[in-house]
Amino acid sequence: MTNETVFTYGAPQLKFGEGAADELGFDLAQLGARRVLVVTDPGVAATGGPQRIADAMKAYGVEAAVFDGVRVEPTDASLRQAVEHARETGPYDAYVAVGGGSSIDTAKAINLLTTNEGDLAEYLNPPIGGGRAPERPLLPLVAVPTTTGTGAESTTVCVLDVLDLRVKTGISHPRMRPTLAVVDPELTMSQPSGVTASAGMDILCHALESYTARPFDDFERKQPEQRVPYCGANPVSDMWAEKSLSLLSRSFRRAVQDGDDRQARADMALAATFAGLGFGNAGVHIPHANAYPIAGMVKDFHPAGYPDGEALVPHGMSVSLTAPEAFRFTYQARPERHVRAAELLDPRLDRPNDPAEHLPLAVLNLMRDIGIPDGIGGVGYAEGDIPGLVEGTMKQQRLLATSPRPVNEDAVAEIFKRSLRLW
């Protein structure tokens, strides 16, 4: 086989800026929608924002119902409940997700399973699920993020916890990408400091992982029908990642420290959008693969700024906890990329004697400054948990395939061990 010479790029339509959400009714009418379901979670619903957005659609002849039953960090059970609600109250001719990645991913699952036959499990990524592809077109989906981090408004992926297996997995297909992303920084102003920190680490890792990913032309050449959304680092995804890192370098700490800093909030919203437009095509690798079992096997951790009740390691936080060690591991595969990423993220940081330490040090300094826990031990894991975490990571082969350096169980175990404490 010869090496790949083709990369692909996909993105939703984008509307960005303060006041963008006020135009949703017009946008939906242009898509031909007359009856839509607004999908959100109880916390976001309590702000009144989703209902105001729904009410404003009436001026454009669009009737909207609000479903506020999204679970933060969705599960297979919560997605099935949401799909059932949409089936019982539908039909709808478009969906609108208002919230963080949980709401957007839930809306993606609703859209998939109200337009195509089959059970949720059939569509989950292998080896956990059947990897079934949708046979029918999906309805228009408009994603309106209220957190700055997940990039779900740009991607083809829906992420969830499978409760019986205690593992996180996803569904991935180009048809699941939202039709339109409406990014209004005004909607992020009420985001708590802890959520800003965790979700922002998701932005950071999206940018870093896509920028350091295995290059698209390092893969074996595919036939047209074999092409997948995550095709490896490429010139277009690199551009988005670099710009995202530059925005984070000037505004991430400010946004966490002062939630009323409007410029910092706007920068974070733009950084999240840019990172999503990049990694949604290049892919992510080890930190995200590790994050799935970290979140799925949580014991008794309750983060600040998130709903009370069940234990939870937020997605962005779980991604960040092994990132410094993951980038130490991948450094030798793409040294120049790791050094350049560190320079973009923290231009004032003195270059260490060992260039392999440059990016881990830049990430660690940021994590300490914004209050991320000290490694996986900081969220309740001990050395005895590592075999289970490794098993969960190795199930994420779709992500590990994008690592710039081959990954096996021993390598993952060492990354987890070195991540028990980071400082």
Side-chain angles (χ1 to χ4, degrees), residues 109-294:
I110 291 172
N111 199 6
L112 172 67
L113 292 170
T114 55
T115 55
N116 283 266
E117 298 176 351
D119 181 69
L120 177 69
E122 297 176 45
Y123 291 93
L124 300 180
N125 294 328
I128 296 169
R132 178 174 174 175
E135 298 174 0
R136 299 174 183 167
L138 277 63
L139 295 172
L141 169 59
V142 179
V144 188
T146 60
T147 61
T148 46
T150 70
E153 69 277 4
S154 300
T155 71
T156 63
V157 179
C158 160
V159 179
L160 65 147
D161 286 300
V162 180
L163 294 176
D164 289 346
L165 300 178
R166 297 198 69 196
V167 68
K168 223 176 185 72
T169 187
I171 305 171
S172 178
H173 193 275
R175 289 186 180 179
M176 293 180 67
R177 195 189 309 274
T179 310
L180 171 65
V182 176
V183 183
D184 187 338
E186 184 71 27
L187 299 179
T188 72
M189 295 298 293
S190 62
Q191 187 176 236
S193 175
V195 177
T196 302
S198 176
M201 287 306 297
D202 202 18
I203 306 174
L204 176 62
C205 290
H206 288 156
L208 291 177
E209 290 173 61
S210 65
Y211 195 61
T212 60
R214 185 179 176 185
F216 80 95
D217 56 2
D218 189 50
F219 289 87
E220 291 184 346
R221 187 173 181 87
K222 298 178 179 67
Q223 295 299 312
E225 68 276 8
Q226 296 173 316
R227 301 202 185 282
V228 293
Y230 283 4
C231 65
N234 60 77
V236 177
S237 65
D238 290 347
M239 174 186 66
W240 294 122
E242 288 184 346
K243 185 58 178 176
S244 179
L245 290 170
S246 295
L247 289 166
L248 290 169
S249 73
R250 77 185 191 198
S251 293
F252 195 171
R253 288 173 174 86
R254 287 167 47 200
V256 173
Q257 293 162 3
D258 180 9
D260 293 327
D261 187 328
R262 302 186 79 85
Q263 185 57 57
R265 290 292 197 187
D267 282 353
M268 292 296 285
L270 200 55
T273 302
F274 287 173
L277 292 170
F279 95 87
N281 295 274
V284 288
H285 53 85
I286 298 173
H288 268 76
N290 288 345
Y292 284 8
I294 291 171

Side-chain angles (χ1 to χ4, degrees), residues 69-106:
V70 168
R71 185 186 190 277
V72 175
E73 303 296 338
T75 67
D76 50 346
S78 75
L79 292 185
R80 286 190 172 97
Q81 291 170 358
V83 170
E84 189 58 32
H85 174 88
R87 286 172 175 163
E88 290 177 354
T89 59
Y92 299 99
D93 44 28
Y95 296 105
V96 177
V98 181
S102 298
S103 294
I104 298 171
D105 284 358
T106 298

Side-chain angles (χ1 to χ4, degrees), residues 20-37:
D22 298 337
E23 301 179 7
L24 267 173
F26 172 82
D27 297 325
L28 287 161
Q30 297 303 299
L31 292 170
R34 290 295 176 264
R35 187 166 192 268
V36 306
L37 181 65

